[in-house]
Amino acid sequence: MTNEHDISVVNGLVQVTIDSADGYRKAAEVADNQSFRTLFSARASERDELVRKLQDFVRSHGGDPENDGSLAAGAHRFFVDLHAKITGRDEAAVVNDVEAGEDHIKARYEAALEAENLGAEARSLIASANTVVLAGHDQM
């Protein structure tokens, strides 16, 4: 039971972390400021690395790792893109969207760490990944 539970919790984080990486790539595309483009691209790569680590955990524990973000995140990226077009790629709007995404992923990782019956290995992986997520959150 714990193995299935751990896989489910980690797979949920795979999905939200894919969403985060995709969101950063979209933000890098719409940002006019080169510093923001560089920062957002670096964050996307960092989140891609977290995705790989989380997927490796799921695989090594007999699960089938998620490979896609959530449908809701896809809709959110569409509206971010639409908003950027309407507002003329307003940097403040892009940063606000990134901050909202960071608040969401931070909350998901915190909830995962609070999950009952989480195995020690899963908890350690999530705590390590959460350190990266918190650093990104605090920077934004």
Side-chain angles (χ1 to χ4, degrees), residues 10-130:
V10 173
N11 251 340
L13 295 177
V14 168
Q15 196 172 47
V16 74
T17 308
I18 289 171
D19 291 344
S20 178
D22 289 347
Y24 272 117
R25 272 189 283 283
K26 178 55 73 180
E29 287 174 17
V30 300
D32 287 330
N33 180 300
Q34 180 60 43
S35 295
F36 283 147
R37 283 197 307 270
T38 300
L39 173 63
F40 296 155
S41 293
R43 277 283 173 233
S45 295
E46 178 183 82
R47 298 295 162 89
D48 286 338
E49 180 61 27
L50 286 181
V51 167
R52 283 189 288 281
K53 288 178 182 178
L54 296 168
Q55 288 172 327
D56 287 347
F57 174 90
V58 170
R59 262 187 229 94
S60 71
H61 287 79
D64 186 24
E66 292 288 337
N67 290 312
D68 295 317
S70 68
L71 181 59
H76 176 73
R77 282 189 301 277
F78 169 78
F79 286 109
V80 168
D81 191 37
L82 180 62
H83 183 265
K85 288 177 182 172
I86 291 170
T87 62
R89 296 181 175 200
D90 176 15
E91 295 294 337
V94 172
V95 171
N96 286 338
D97 286 334
V98 168
E99 286 176 344
E102 283 299 308
D103 288 343
H104 177 71
I105 193 171
K106 177 185 172 203
R108 291 288 304 272
Y109 271 80
E110 288 173 350
L113 284 170
E114 293 173 5
E116 293 184 24
N117 303 321
L118 194 62
E121 187 180 356
R123 186 172 306 283
S124 176
L125 172 68
I126 294 167
S128 175
N130 189 48

